[in-house]
Amino acid sequence: MRELAVDFGTSNTVAALRANGGPSRLLLFDGWPVLPSAVLRGRDGGLVVGREALRGARLDPARFEPHPKERIDEGEVLLGDAAVPVVSLIAAVLRRVAAEAPAPDRVVLTHPADWYSSRRAVLLAAAREAGWQGEVQLVAEPVAAASQAADVPPGQAVAVFDMGGGTTDVAVLRRTSTGWDVLAEAGLPDFGGRDLDQLLLDHLGVEVDPTADAAGRRAARVLAEDVRAGKEALSQYPQTDIPLPAPRPDAHLTRQELETLVEAALRRAVDLLAETVGTTSLTAVHLVGGATRMPLVARLISERLGLVPTIVESPETSVALGALGPPPRPQRTPFPPPPLPRSTPMPPPPPEERKKPPVAAITTAIVVTLLAAGGVIAAALLRPDTVGTAVVGPTPSAPPDNPAFRGDEPLIAFAGPAAGKADECVNVMGTASQGDQYSARNHVRCRFEIDGIAYFANYLSADGPQTCGQLNEEFLELPGAQWLSEDPWTGGDLRGKSHDVAATSGNNVLWYTDTNTLCAFFGASTDQNPPMSEVHQAWETVVGA
């Protein structure tokens, strides 16, 4: 089996290939493991990618898009005299990767943890246009980066500080028996390595008008590349020279000068990391992204958190190498058979076969759904001010005594006793969850572990029908999504109408009331896609009364 992981980045794209469960290896593009994500539209209408696009941009910058990932929310981009769909720009980059790894059996694409469904749908559509018609899974970047930390025992937490060319993302994750739960995440969409380049360029005091003419655009791009190269050189050497346009002499710069220039900007990102970590006890901080090569990044994090970050040899490749996760495990055992009818007493099992009580997975909240195309339920976005609302322990309390519901009586009644049987529940309002996106009054997320697989139930309440209506619409945006039924199935005493919604990447059950002011959905984590029959079985046998 050939598995391919692709980290499609703002400035660069990295890919890793694994065969038959062995170690992952990086793909090379023109002899390098890093492919520039840049795209150039040729005069013949074809799309050129990578270093060839960078070279072509010097001659015709108007046909050049250096950062397709930043255009993800735009339908199309004008390159020269023609508009090109953003999906096609991204597909061109992925097609270049596919040329180096033909016919993979499984493809994993990474994305920022806060990408909502429409952005993920664009990424998946680009993968199909690139020619990958088999299994394509989406994985959040911090989860992929943390997956390289194989020595972290279950129950321990790590932080990921990912600083790329255009953005900075931070996340806190806790190791579980089956993978990782994202406890909290945040980001700076307006700050990355290019902003440090601009600070250095402003310091040098060189002005080149990129809009004057073609020559001016070429000069501006050459200068930007020289400034970036000088900044990167100072990560390894104490001083360097940066070529400047004539008649200016070359600039001599020291690492100390650069650190003085960028320290205030970097502290903003480090402060965000500290706020996101909150009171969580960390085992490690992993640095990801090429901009973290700057020694000042690790020093500021160490001073702020009191923990020396883990610096890998090649931070640009960490996400791609971790995206495939550990080698495949043996196939899991099927769900246990359904319980006997209520009228027939069930004989107690022998002592050695009795099920152990559930063990609390985490003491802080787990995550909100991302409705990823690679699976509907995924990572959480918990801010420090919500820490402590999780309900954990071997005998979880019933919903009326569960602080995660915050006294929301209609939602408590709607959830029923099933929520009291969860491994843990957490209130995720204020964490960029669907509840926040769709103006819910309350959003509670409960986790259930079934045969080593994490299942999640999300309960939402609102003052009007818009919240649940928008939630249903988002489910229908998933690739291949379709309603399978509208039956009064109320397993586990969750009352209301229900839908089975099937997608190519995940199966879920949705419940909602006649007024659409209360709704819920239940399904497996993103790395699993059990059949709908098993989703029903999981709810009825483990969650149900």
Side-chain angles (χ1 to χ4, degrees):
M1 181 176 183
R2 289 163 56 86
E3 299 172 283
L4 175 66
V6 184
D7 176 22
F8 171 60
T10 302
S11 298
N12 297 294
T13 293
V14 180
L17 186 67
R18 182 170 69 187
N20 300 321
S24 299
R25 65 173 180 84
L26 294 171
L27 296 184
L28 298 181
F29 307 96
D30 302 321
W32 295 87
V34 174
L35 171 71
S37 299
V39 179
L40 178 79
R41 179 177 174 271
R43 295 188 179 278
D44 61 354
L47 298 179
V48 180
V49 173
R51 289 170 182 80
E52 185 65 26
L54 295 177
R55 286 191 290 269
R58 295 192 175 193
L59 299 175
D60 199 348
R63 295 176 175 269
F64 179 65
E65 174 48 55
H67 310 296
K69 189 174 182 178
E70 292 185 344
R71 314 298 288 271
I72 189 74
D73 293 326
E74 304 176 31
E76 55 187 23
V77 177
L78 183 64
L79 297 183
D81 57 357
V84 180
V86 172
V87 169
S88 297
L89 290 178
I90 299 174
V93 179
L94 300 183
R95 195 177 295 113
R96 178 68 178 84
V97 175
E100 301 296 332
D105 300 294
R106 172 177 175 246
V107 176
V108 178
L109 300 177
T110 65
H111 61 84
D114 61 351
W115 268 22
Y116 40 83
S117 60
S118 62
R119 289 180 173 180
R120 297 193 304 272
V122 170
L123 186 59
L124 187 59
R128 298 307 186 195
E129 186 174 318
W132 291 320
Q133 300 303 320
E135 179 185 356
V136 178
Q137 180 182 359
L138 303 185
V139 173
E141 290 167 2
V143 175
S147 296
Q148 286 203 290
D151 56 341
V152 178
Q156 298 297 307
V158 302
V160 174
F161 184 90
D162 184 355
M163 188 174 178
T167 63
T168 298
D169 298 298
V170 300
V172 181
L173 307 95
R174 192 181 303 279
R175 188 65 180 261
T176 70
S177 59
T178 59
W180 295 89
D181 281 338
V182 181
L183 305 182
E185 68 86 34
L188 297 175
D190 59 347
F191 180 71
R194 296 203 313 272
D195 297 279
L196 303 182
D197 298 347
Q198 187 61 49
L199 289 173
L200 178 54
L201 185 59
D202 294 342
H203 171 72
L204 296 175
V206 181
E207 294 185 4
V208 177
D209 185 1
T211 63
D213 51 27
R217 290 192 293 269
R218 288 195 294 270
R221 183 163 298 281
V222 170
L223 177 60
E225 292 175 359
D226 288 338
V227 167
R228 176 182 52 80
K231 179 200 68 177
E232 293 174 352
L234 291 175
S235 295
Q236 293 182 292
Y237 306 103
Q239 56 188 2
T240 191
D241 291 323
I242 300 177
L244 298 180
R248 297 283 300 274
D250 294 346
H252 182 76
L253 192 70
T254 67
R255 179 184 295 173
Q256 181 60 50
E257 288 178 280
L258 176 63
E259 291 182 346
T260 300
L261 286 173
V262 303
E263 181 174 349
L266 285 175
R267 284 192 182 277
R268 177 188 172 208
V270 174
D271 288 345
L272 180 67
L273 172 64
E275 293 168 3
T276 307
V277 170
T279 59
T280 303
S281 178
L282 296 178
T283 298
V285 178
H286 295 279
L287 301 185
V288 178
T292 62
R293 288 180 177 275
M294 185 177 294
L296 180 61
V297 174
R299 189 162 71 246
L300 291 177
I301 291 175
S302 178
E303 292 173 357
R304 183 66 189 273
L305 299 183
L307 187 65
V308 178
T310 301
I311 305 174
V312 298
E313 181 178 354
S314 180
E316 300 94 336
T317 65
S318 296
V319 171
L321 289 172
L324 293 175
R329 298 180 180 182
Q331 186 175 4
R332 59 188 175 88
T333 57
F335 285 104
L340 298 175
R342 294 176 185 267
S343 59
T344 305
M346 183 177 291
E352 67 273 12
E353 295 181 5
R354 290 178 184 172
K355 184 179 179 181
K356 297 180 181 180
V359 178
I362 39 180
T363 59
T364 55
I366 54 178
V367 282
V368 186
T369 84
L370 296 178
L371 299 177
V376 175
I377 311 295
L381 312 167
L382 173 67
R383 300 296 179 191
D385 58 0
T386 63
V387 171
T389 60
V391 176
V392 298
T395 55
S397 60
D401 300 323
N402 190 322
F405 284 81
R406 297 181 179 175
D408 189 336
E409 294 183 1
L411 192 60
I412 291 171
F414 178 61
K421 300 181 180 183
D423 296 326
E424 63 277 324
C425 292
V426 60
N427 192 290
V428 291
M429 291 301 297
T431 66
S433 72
Q434 275 97 349
D436 296 301
Q437 295 173 26
Y438 306 143
S439 302
R441 182 175 65 242
N442 216 345
H443 182 175
V444 178
R445 175 180 168 84
C446 296
R447 182 181 192 274
F448 308 85
E449 186 160 332
I450 305 167
D451 192 29
I453 306 251
Y455 279 79
F456 298 91
N458 285 259
Y459 308 95
L460 290 86
S461 65
D463 297 320
Q466 183 177 3
T467 293
C468 294
Q470 288 182 323
L471 181 69
N472 288 349
E473 289 178 4
E474 181 163 3
F475 270 94
L476 286 176
E477 290 178 0
L478 295 172
Q482 57 180 317
W483 295 129
L484 295 183
S485 65
E486 186 175 355
D487 302 321
W489 186 76
T490 56
D493 290 332
L494 187 59
R495 303 302 180 185
K497 296 180 181 179
S498 66
H499 276 306
D500 285 347
V501 57
T504 56
S505 53
N507 297 318
N508 288 260
V509 180
L510 282 76
W511 289 269
Y512 53 95
T513 60
D514 289 334
T515 61
N516 243 13
T517 57
L518 298 166
C519 49
F521 55 96
F522 175 80
S525 60
T526 48
D527 57 353
Q528 301 291 333
N529 184 18
M532 189 64 72
S533 60
E534 292 191 8
V535 175
H536 282 204
Q537 184 77 49
W539 183 262
E540 290 180 327
T541 61
V542 180
V543 181

